[in-house]
Amino acid sequence: MSSTGYKWLRAARIAVSLTVLAAVTVTIALGYSCWLSDWQIIPAILAGAGGWLLMWAAATALVGRIYCSTACPMGTLQDITSRLRRRRNGYFYSPPRPVTRWSIVFAMLVAVMLGISVITGILDPAAAYSRIVVYLSLPAIGAAAFSLGAAAIALATLAVATAVPLARGRLLCNTICPVGTLLGGLSRFALYHIDIDTDRCTGCGLCTAHCKAECIDPSAHTVDASRCVMCFDCTAVCPNSAITLRKGRHRLQIPMLQSVRPEAAAFGKPESSASDIKTYDRRSFIASFAAIPLAASALPVRDVAPLNSVCPPGIKNDDDFHARCTGCGICTAACPTGIIRPASTQLGLRNIMHPVLDFDLGQCSYDCTACTQVCPTGALSPLTPRQKHRTVIGKARILANKCIEYTDGSNCGKCVRVCPVQAVRIVPVDTSHDMRRLPLVDFDKCIGCGACRYHCPATPHAIIIEG
């Protein structure tokens, strides 16, 4: 294919990536469910979506990390940013950082096993982008569930995701992102990959200057397939069509000039100095990280959550919910009453950003299942309105010393009238002085929707909802 053909291929890739970015952004901001959010790698892993995972594994095995340049919204955001201010002399080749990359993946796996979900939430690019959209757009749409802490985290994420690409392109994707590392491990064996035809190459350096993955070594004429994100920027600018997408590796017409140690270039070393490449002993590498699970095991196995912390409906059990939730905030944007907020310490430090319900802002609508329909990781199982009616998310408790029926003898009864399941009734209570009236909650009927608390006229409220 000529450079003109690769320009069209690059344009198509950009069109697809921008379409995916726009669709994901709009649906998240408006609180709608979108399959483009479900097919992201880490959400698919947490949800056990084998179909999406098989699709991306097959695509990567065929043409490398095409996911990173088309389907990942965080990757597209970095591409947009990198186009705003490119380095004066373009990009340059940088050696890979395999120890750093795989150490982060290993640390995330340990965190998953120990239930430290906040680490997964931070490292997941899909969740990171969702938080940027949700918590930076909520003030604009006037949502009551705005959280200053969540907005600060989203703003810091946005700052890093825009500052780094300005100088180093896809450095975050090829060093920090666990998805990029996992796909990179598979893309090394892809059927098709970017390769340099050294018979045609004139050494102009345009491909290296335009490679935002910094994976083209001009001295060795090699491309690190584990870091190449298949953006086709290099193939579109080559004046001699010397860098192409092909099977196998190009062989020189003069065999004696063909490199016999191409792997040396993966470490940024000329082939003549391949013996100087620093290698890592496998036992030393494993031993150096043996302290991670040992140190993490010293953490408490379970944080004790306050009794008044209530999570959204659709949860199978606490362990499953905290293991799957990445704190992406999509359920927060979807909630029509705006009562879902990101947790600070209510669920423990390991579960920061997980959704909790704030009944001071409203009630969990009896027929609403919006949050359960948009969760991409399966932390909230989809519910029908009929199932929602039977789903218990908490229990109401009356505080007699604050209830105006009991303290003032007022004829209120508002909690009785607003309860959708008739779980509250007024009963007479014999005190030492006279008869008083007090609301009584039938725990067998109560589902913890919070309607009674939200409408309670007492200040402060005489009803709390316990998770």
Side-chain angles (χ1 to χ4, degrees):
M1 185 184 297
S2 64
S3 60
T4 302
Y6 281 113
K7 288 180 181 179
W8 282 104
L9 184 60
R10 174 179 176 271
R13 192 271 306 167
I14 293 176
V16 171
S17 64
L18 292 178
T19 301
V20 172
L21 179 70
V24 170
T25 303
V26 171
T27 53
I28 289 176
L30 297 180
Y32 294 130
S33 176
C34 179
W35 58 271
L36 293 174
S37 295
D38 298 339
W39 76 351
Q40 303 299 319
I41 299 294
I42 290 185
I45 292 175
L46 295 174
W52 292 128
L53 295 176
L54 183 61
M55 181 193 75
W56 286 123
T60 305
L62 180 63
V63 290
R65 289 172 55 180
I66 194 68
Y67 164 87
C68 299
S69 59
T70 57
C72 179
M74 185 61 79
T76 304
L77 174 64
Q78 293 178 73
D79 285 348
I80 294 174
T81 304
S82 65
R83 294 286 297 179
L84 298 179
R85 178 182 176 272
R86 182 169 294 176
R87 296 174 61 90
R88 178 180 299 178
N89 297 321
Y91 299 106
F92 54 88
Y93 173 75
S94 64
R97 301 169 179 82
V99 174
T100 301
R101 296 169 69 185
W102 288 104
S103 297
I104 291 175
V105 172
F106 179 73
M108 189 184 73
L109 293 176
V110 172
V112 170
M113 291 187 291
L114 295 178
I116 311 176
S117 58
V118 64
I119 295 180
T120 306
I122 292 175
L123 294 176
D124 175 19
Y129 183 77
S130 297
R131 283 193 295 270
I132 291 174
V133 174
V134 173
Y135 296 120
L136 296 185
S137 66
L138 284 180
I141 62 178
F146 173 71
S147 167
L148 184 60
I153 293 175
L155 189 60
T157 304
L158 179 62
V160 173
T162 53
V164 175
L166 283 174
R168 297 295 302 275
R170 287 293 193 106
L171 179 65
L172 292 176
C173 299
N174 286 331
T175 307
I176 305 299
C177 179
V179 175
T181 301
L182 292 173
L183 293 179
L186 180 58
S187 65
R188 293 183 60 181
F189 308 99
L191 181 62
Y192 289 91
H193 57 89
I194 301 296
D195 185 63
I196 299 176
D197 185 344
T198 47
D199 288 325
R200 294 184 177 183
C201 180
T202 61
C204 65
L206 283 176
C207 57
T208 302
H210 284 78
C211 178
K212 52 180 171 278
E214 299 181 344
C215 65
I216 300 178
D217 186 352
S219 62
H221 293 85
T222 57
V223 180
D224 185 355
S226 69
R227 291 185 291 161
C228 176
V229 294
M230 287 295 168
C231 63
F232 302 112
D233 287 355
C234 58
T235 58
V237 299
C238 182
N240 300 315
S241 300
I243 184 166
T244 58
L245 179 68
R246 67 190 305 274
K247 290 182 181 180
R249 186 168 184 269
H250 175 73
R251 292 290 175 180
L252 285 174
Q253 293 179 358
I254 305 177
M256 290 183 64
L257 297 181
Q258 178 65 36
S259 168
V260 295
R261 297 293 298 275
E263 67 275 9
F267 293 88
K269 296 284 186 177
E271 295 171 7
S272 60
S273 59
S275 60
D276 298 330
I277 297 173
K278 183 179 179 180
T279 60
Y280 295 87
D281 178 72
R282 182 173 58 183
R283 294 182 180 179
S284 300
F285 176 77
I286 296 175
S288 65
F289 292 98
I292 295 179
L294 293 178
S297 63
L299 297 173
V301 176
R302 182 189 298 272
D303 291 335
V304 179
L307 290 178
N308 62 345
S309 59
V310 183
C311 296
I315 297 173
K316 298 177 182 177
N317 56 68
D318 286 346
D319 292 336
D320 180 82
F321 170 65
H322 293 311
R324 292 175 185 264
C325 180
T326 59
C328 64
I330 295 179
C331 58
T332 301
C335 181
T337 56
I339 67 171
I340 301 180
R341 297 175 63 96
S344 53
T345 59
Q346 299 97 317
L347 302 175
L349 295 178
R350 295 184 301 174
N351 301 313
I352 291 176
M353 304 297 292
H354 285 198
V356 293
L357 305 188
D358 186 346
F359 294 110
D360 289 334
L361 302 175
Q363 68 186 66
C364 184
S365 299
Y366 188 54
D367 296 319
C368 177
T369 62
C371 61
T372 71
Q373 304 298 323
V374 299
C375 180
T377 65
L380 304 179
S381 300
L383 298 176
T384 64
R386 185 181 182 90
Q387 292 172 326
K388 170 70 183 303
H389 296 166
R390 302 192 301 268
T391 299
V392 178
I393 59 176
K395 297 293 181 180
R397 181 159 64 90
I398 308 295
L399 305 177
N401 62 337
K402 297 179 180 179
C403 178
I404 60 177
E405 282 268 10
Y406 184 81
T407 59
D408 302 339
S410 301
N411 187 17
C412 176
K414 199 163 189 178
C415 55
V416 177
R417 295 192 296 272
V418 300
C419 180
V421 293
Q422 291 80 49
V424 186
R425 69 180 189 274
I426 301 294
V427 297
V429 178
D430 187 6
T431 68
S432 57
H433 302 287
D434 55 7
M435 295 292 294
R436 299 287 180 90
R437 289 159 50 88
L438 181 69
L440 179 67
V441 178
D442 186 344
F443 284 164
D444 291 335
K445 294 182 178 180
C446 180
I447 59 175
C449 68
C452 54
R453 172 181 170 81
Y454 179 63
H455 290 91
C456 177
T459 305
H461 293 308
I463 302 174
I464 62 173
I465 311 298
E466 295 180 340

